[in-house]
Amino acid sequence: MSIVKSNKPFTPKQVGERIKERRTELNLSMPELGRRVSVNKSTIQRYEADGVDPKRTMVINGLAQALLTTPEWLTGLSDEKEYSNYTVCQMSLEKHIKAYLETVTSAVDGEPRQEMLTTFLGQIIDLYAILTKYFALSMEKVNQAAEDEGLKESIRKYAINIGSITEQVYQKEMQIPVDDIKKYLDGILHLYDEGRTKTSMPELFGMVEQAEQKLLDKQNSVAP
């Protein structure tokens, strides 16, 4: 998260100075920066020489993204120049979410159906968040196996590669969250089935709660 320096933004001239500072720091030419923000070299020259009004949000945001920095730093509201990992992840996901929203609102007729699809996506994201926590646990165990000198010495006798062991560790640890996501998607597929595979909405939406409980049980089982 950026550290807020002031509630008062820079003057346009100061913004231009920061644009030039960051471009030079990244060793970017004016034409290259222009290509990144879809303007020509002369426009970049004008931005740096004459400045950019900090209220021009779209221009500032585009420049910040092209310069791998934050709008707050460009406009003098923060001294934090670099994106945090959180911000990078957020920017990446926002592109996908934006594309989804544009698709669902333009292609799907009826608000109830749009809401249902949005709920499905939210549930899948929740399940993926749980998978992420399993992934963290699995990486700990994979690293432990890869660094276990005693294990390495033992498996050398049988000509087994340590990669085969870590692969098995990973697959074992990740099986539960992957199966939960498969089960959820299968539930969507069979939502309108009339036979034994029919899945009710309460059952479908209860899967996240069940997955969270399984994760909690696992974390408690490995806690010291």
Side-chain angles (χ1 to χ4, degrees):
M1 176 178 274
S2 296
I3 299 172
V4 175
K5 184 182 74 171
S6 169
N7 290 325
K8 186 177 180 180
F10 277 169
T11 64
K13 185 74 173 178
Q14 289 174 307
V15 174
E17 290 171 355
R18 283 216 158 167
I19 293 170
K20 182 176 182 179
E21 175 187 334
R22 185 61 171 170
R23 180 181 64 77
T24 304
E25 188 176 78
L26 296 175
N27 198 28
L28 292 175
S29 65
M30 287 187 180
E32 172 58 20
L33 178 56
R35 186 189 65 77
R36 291 188 179 191
V37 294
S38 302
V39 299
N40 56 34
K41 175 184 174 181
S42 62
T43 300
I44 298 299
Q45 287 177 317
R46 188 174 71 253
Y47 286 164
E48 292 185 356
D50 301 332
V52 179
D53 188 338
K55 295 177 183 178
R56 296 181 64 186
T57 306
M58 290 184 65
V59 174
I60 294 295
N61 288 347
L63 285 165
Q65 186 172 359
L67 291 167
L68 305 178
T69 189
T70 65
E72 290 79 15
W73 182 80
L74 277 184
T75 56
L77 295 177
S78 171
D79 285 329
E80 283 291 313
K81 185 185 298 184
E82 305 294 337
Y83 280 121
S84 67
N85 289 339
Y86 180 92
T87 305
V88 172
C89 292
Q90 184 180 32
M91 286 173 57
S92 179
L93 282 174
E94 280 178 351
K95 293 180 181 179
H96 298 285
I97 298 298
K98 180 181 178 182
Y100 162 75
L101 289 172
E102 290 175 350
T103 300
V104 77
T105 53
S106 64
V108 180
D109 292 332
E111 187 175 324
R113 292 175 180 174
Q114 292 174 355
E115 288 181 356
M116 182 174 69
L117 285 174
T118 302
T119 302
F120 286 161
L121 177 60
Q123 296 279 305
I124 292 171
I125 290 173
D126 289 342
L127 286 170
Y128 196 84
I130 293 170
L131 180 145
T132 300
K133 294 178 181 179
Y134 275 93
F135 180 79
L137 293 172
S138 72
M139 286 297 98
E140 288 181 14
K141 294 198 174 183
V142 165
N143 290 340
Q144 289 171 8
E147 296 166 4
D148 189 329
E149 293 299 327
L151 176 61
K152 288 180 183 178
E153 185 61 32
S154 297
I155 65 175
R156 283 193 194 104
K157 298 177 182 178
Y158 301 98
I160 301 173
N161 188 293
I162 191 67
S164 300
I165 301 298
T166 55
E167 179 182 340
Q168 291 175 34
V169 170
Y170 176 79
Q171 290 181 355
K172 178 183 176 183
E173 294 299 316
M174 294 297 290
Q175 191 66 48
I176 291 176
V178 170
D179 282 346
D180 283 338
I181 291 177
K182 287 180 179 178
K183 182 180 178 183
Y184 186 84
L185 293 174
D186 191 61
I188 295 176
L189 177 65
H190 295 114
L191 195 61
Y192 291 104
D193 283 6
E194 296 296 332
R196 64 182 178 84
T197 57
K198 181 177 175 61
T199 303
S200 69
M201 283 288 190
E203 289 173 333
L204 197 63
F205 296 155
M207 289 182 190
V208 172
E209 185 176 343
Q210 293 171 16
E212 289 173 338
Q213 185 59 52
K214 283 187 284 188
L215 173 62
L216 180 60
D217 292 342
K218 180 176 180 60
Q219 289 174 326
N220 289 336
S221 70
V222 299

